[in-house]
Amino acid sequence: MGFTPEELQAARGRLVPDVAAPGLRVLFCGINPGLMSAATGHHFARPGNRFWPVLHRSGFTPRLLKPAEQEEMLAYGIGITNVVERASARADELSAEEFREGGRQLAEKVRRLRPAWLAVAGVTAYRVAFDDKHAKVGPQDRTIGGTRIWVLPNPSGLNAHWPPAALAEEYGRLRAAAFADETDEADETEGTEESEEGDARDV
């Protein structure tokens, strides 16, 4: 769906509803909605944003989801929210106080929903929102209740420091941590099957 510049500007300040539920494996967190996301009501809706392709490439989704299919994330144990709720054309339109207040509200949301991991897609936004100026991409020491935090690179197509392959690798590291128990269960099942086959051959 195409939008005129006037229609996009009219979306400034709108909110985009979370895709969230209690007990998710990962609650992804963008910086704030862009105007295309606000106009459509879909997270990371701007063409050229790499969030949805990277989500698939890193193994979080079995196929490439379109922004309009965002509700399907819940079936895969993942969801999405934002640090700052109001939409803007650029993140630099947001004040430091908006980020800090967004961080406080995000922490309250995380305590309520209790995801295993909060994944903030943007290291600069995380540093300001959580007053951690030395934070780097990767797992953090800070927790919110029982929820661990992972800072991810911003998937914007303008983030030239992180090409698609590197983005997918970092998102894949998070997926491996978030779904480690499923991997362990699969390994145990395979081990049991191999043991049973070995017993059968010995009889």
Side-chain angles (χ1 to χ4, degrees):
M1 177 184 294
F3 292 91
T4 66
E6 292 76 19
E7 288 172 327
L8 289 176
Q9 287 302 317
R12 186 181 294 273
R14 288 184 192 169
L15 309 182
V16 178
D18 292 343
V19 177
L24 295 173
R25 296 297 185 107
V26 180
L27 179 62
F28 289 96
C29 183
I31 298 172
N32 77 308
L35 298 185
M36 182 65 73
S37 291
T40 61
H42 305 139
H43 294 273
F44 293 107
R46 182 174 179 173
N49 192 288
R50 300 171 294 178
F51 177 77
W52 298 104
V54 166
L55 209 63
H56 172 52
R57 187 170 178 176
S58 60
F60 276 103
T61 61
R63 65 181 181 84
L64 175 59
L65 297 182
K66 300 174 183 177
E69 298 174 309
Q70 60 186 15
E71 295 294 334
E72 292 188 28
M73 297 176 75
L74 299 177
Y76 308 125
I78 56 179
I80 188 165
T81 186
N82 286 289
V83 176
V84 177
E85 293 184 346
R86 78 173 180 93
S88 66
R90 301 185 310 275
D92 61 11
E93 296 176 18
L94 306 175
S95 68
E97 180 52 38
E98 281 184 284
F99 276 110
R100 287 190 288 267
E101 178 59 25
R104 289 189 286 268
Q105 294 181 5
L106 178 59
E108 292 176 4
K109 185 180 300 180
V110 167
R111 291 188 185 97
R112 185 174 70 253
L113 295 176
R114 303 184 305 280
W117 288 89
L118 171 67
V120 181
V123 66
T124 301
Y126 176 83
R127 287 171 178 167
V128 179
F130 289 91
D131 193 25
D132 186 353
K133 62 181 66 177
H134 300 297
K136 297 180 180 179
V137 167
Q140 308 299 304
D141 292 333
R142 178 196 302 266
T143 60
I144 302 175
T147 298
R148 297 198 62 191
I149 300 174
W150 196 296
V151 175
L152 292 168
N154 188 333
S156 168
L158 301 176
N159 186 3
H161 296 292
W162 287 85
L167 273 177
E169 182 178 354
E170 186 62 30
Y171 279 60
R173 289 179 61 215
L174 168 60
R175 189 194 181 282
F179 292 85
D181 58 333
E182 288 190 358
T183 302
D184 292 342
E185 289 174 5
D187 290 344
E188 289 175 5
T189 300
E190 291 174 3
T192 301
E193 291 173 350
E194 291 173 359
S195 176
E196 289 174 350
E197 291 172 0
D199 291 343
R201 285 194 296 272
D202 291 339
V203 170

